[in-house]
Amino acid sequence: MTGTKHLGRQTVRFESPPSILSAASVVGKKEGEGPLKDRFDILASDTKFGQDTWEKAESQMQTLALQEALKKADLSYASVDMLFGGDLLNQCIGTSFAARGTDIPFLGLYGACSTMGESLSLAAMAVEGGYAEYAAAMTSSHFASAERQYRTPLEYGGQRTPTAQWTVTGAGAVILGQAGTPPFVRGFTSGKVVDLDVADANNMGAAMAPAFVDTVLAHFRDTGKRPSDYDLIVSGDLGQVGLDLARDLLSREGLDLGNRLGDCGTMIYDREAQDVHAGGSGCGCSAVVFAGHLLKLLETGKLKHLLFCPTGALLSPVSTQQGQSIPAICHAVAVSSEGGCL
Amino acid sequence: MTGTKHLGRQTVRFESPPSILSAASVVGKKEGEGPLKDRFDILASDTKFGQDTWEKAESQMQTLALQEALKKADLSYASVDMLFGGDLLNQCIGTSFAARGTDIPFLGLYGACSTMGESLSLAAMAVEGGYAEYAAAMTSSHFASAERQYRTPLEYGGQRTPTAQWTVTGAGAVILGQAGTPPFVRGFTSGKVVDLDVADANNMGAAMAPAFVDTVLAHFRDTGKRPSDYDLIVSGDLGQVGLDLARDLLSREGLDLGNRLGDCGTMIYDREAQDVHAGGSGCGCSAVVFAGHLLKLLETGKLKHLLFCPTGALLSPVSTQQGQSIPAICHAVAVSSEGGCL
């Protein structure tokens, strides 16, 4: 079997593509006022989700997303053999504390905002390999917990630069199993860490764009596919600045993706009306756009072949203070309304 | 194939157990003066490893460990299809920055001090499933980067409590492939998040002991194996306090592991002479004890069947300040000098 599943250096092709059985999205107030407001399962009027801290609120979003996704699939905690998840908080407490109540074997991940791609890849691998009957992939971010951890306390009222992105308050959960029904995860391309020496922590789109391009090129190289094989190639959260850069970098490689190229960070907010500068970001951004919006496009036939490419900036406040540039990564997952090989 | 690989709820049994092709360990000065000093590959005289910050030193240890492990296996960065790794630093910068220079597809993990178990499990799964020809598992910790992040700046000279553990300065890397040669990874048991309401961040052994016991019991339940099937069942870094508690908890379940029970955190230092209180801890602790010591016991026939059980405390300074108790997790990996089914 070895050699056929493993395509080129970075790409895995599933011989028996696992199914996405269900997905759920939970968002905060601002996301519930944006262009995708009708696509999410749970919209909070209280962005603290009934908790007394922002960090607990973030965990609570994950709990709600996982419970809702399981309900849709008519499954319970006890059915899930592996839970792959992560978030942006130090020591990933958003996810660990959400996993605490579930009794599901837990594999914690850290890929910054690429984590939804990483968790989907590994959950699909566990299911296709027969290592788990059902697996879950789950990530979150929260504007208020992220701001005070990465930048300044909200009360400080710091000015944001035009290249800055707005961390999405949201959590997404996806349940995978070997059901034979669409949508299918047909394969994935794991990213390398790419660092083109961007050091501005307020311009993570610029830091992540080269990682997105690197993974997309690797995907085409490994699979022999072309852009026209996909209806949509969507980056995680490059925002408008990073998306423009990615388009430019791709065109230098001879790839014009045109309308096939999109970005979760530019989809989730009305950038002008909602004052989010370059767009949305955070582990929760690609998670809720995927779980709430993109999967529905696949289910209703508006999309047939999707390359979902969450992007992550692997910096920390300490690495920035120490003068380091920003390493970035992008994990691409091929999701389709048809089965069959990549 | 589904159903045979997946044993009970938490355990994976490999039908074609992957081989551990090589491993390497890099340690700091204190670890190089302890009882296992002759077992490690690289011992630092300079605990900054030639870098200008402790965080960069931690990355450098990972780089050295990975390079040394690859050299032993006569492989290069270009041969490895997936790198699974993590550390204790905020946003896991120890590993991300080490992965940056390698050009290897990178899957970042966070499982606190259980990460060596998690990375070995997933790397073995990727190899056995045919998703990667060669995969690497790698973790690190550094006393100085951990102290200032989790506790107080070193210059503060804070007093340590008797239950506190000493974060190991070290990194371990393991290379896996389908070679048919011992030692083999025969399977693994993924842990659930267990929280018995221990809230003292200076007594992580007590917080982690119930997670260790939970995973060990799950392993025996899922596999039908008994303690006598293993020569050594070794926890990651419970330290002496946690190890005593684990022994007590196991005996209440009717399991007396006697001399078969060990702990990486009590092996790496001379607790009295080296003034480390309850013992060693950190992602690097179980990594270097496994890569430097336990694998050699398997290779020289002194051990035949090992259950390697790294344990992690999934707290953060923020969760502790917010009054939360400490969730913990333990991932068990069955490593043997014989192949065959678990």
Side-chain angles (χ1 to χ4, degrees), chain B residues 214-229:
Chain B
D214 191 77
T215 296
V216 167
L217 293 175
H219 182 79
F220 290 138
R221 193 176 56 235
D222 287 351
T223 59
K225 292 204 159 284
R226 290 158 308 176
S228 58
D229 291 321

Side-chain angles (χ1 to χ4, degrees), chain A residues 5-230:
Chain A
K5 286 185 175 183
H6 174 231
L7 210 64
R9 175 100 185 281
Q10 293 177 246
T11 301
V12 161
R13 166 174 64 185
F14 292 128
E15 293 167 339
S16 311
S19 298
I20 292 178
L21 303 179
S22 68
S25 51
V26 177
V27 297
K29 192 164 175 291
K30 193 179 187 86
E31 295 70 26
E33 293 166 349
L36 300 181
K37 63 181 178 224
D38 298 328
R39 313 291 271 173
F40 304 121
D41 294 298
I42 299 173
L43 290 78
S45 51
D46 164 24
T47 309
K48 276 206 168 156
F49 289 84
Q51 306 298 309
D52 58 359
T53 71
W54 301 118
E55 289 74 16
K56 289 182 192 172
E58 186 168 344
S59 279
Q60 180 62 13
M61 285 196 296
Q62 288 208 9
T63 300
L64 293 171
L66 183 59
Q67 286 176 345
E68 183 68 17
L70 287 170
K71 203 171 100 186
K72 288 187 191 182
D74 200 19
L75 293 171
S76 68
Y77 286 154
S79 320
V80 183
D81 302 313
M82 290 185 189
L83 169 60
F84 293 89
D87 60 86
L88 295 175
L89 294 177
N90 295 344
Q91 287 68 59
C92 304
I93 53 169
T95 315
S96 302
F97 281 80
R100 179 169 65 172
T102 65
D103 213 36
I104 305 173
F106 172 57
L107 290 308
L109 309 180
Y110 186 79
C113 309
S114 76
T115 309
M116 198 64 213
E118 186 184 355
S119 62
L120 274 173
S121 301
L122 294 176
M125 190 169 96
V127 167
E128 204 237 8
Y131 305 109
E133 190 176 353
Y134 299 106
M138 176 167 88
T139 70
S140 67
S141 54
H142 194 299
F143 174 76
S145 64
E147 279 302 304
R148 70 174 171 189
Q149 177 185 283
Y150 282 101
R151 284 165 284 265
T152 53
L154 288 180
E155 295 81 353
Y156 178 75
Q159 286 288 309
R160 300 163 62 78
T161 68
T163 55
Q165 292 169 249
W166 188 279
T167 305
V168 165
T169 298
V174 177
I175 312 296
L176 292 102
Q178 206 58 278
T181 53
F184 297 97
V185 178
R186 307 218 307 180
F188 62 88
T189 299
S190 299
K192 299 171 177 181
V193 178
V194 175
D195 188 335
L196 292 197
D197 221 22
V198 173
D200 178 1
N202 290 307
N203 191 359
M204 290 197 278
M208 294 188 291
F212 168 69
V213 171
D214 191 77
T215 296
V216 167
L217 292 174
H219 182 78
F220 290 138
R221 191 176 58 236
D222 287 351
T223 59
K225 290 204 161 284
R226 291 158 307 175
S228 58
D229 291 323
Y230 290 99

Side-chain angles (χ1 to χ4, degrees), chain B residues 288-310:
Chain B
V288 301
V289 172
F290 180 75
H293 178 56
L294 299 171
L295 278 179
K296 290 195 182 84
L297 295 180
L298 282 160
E299 284 157 7
T300 56
K302 288 186 184 152
L303 281 184
K304 211 159 150 187
H305 299 293
L306 167 71
L307 192 62
F308 174 58
C309 311

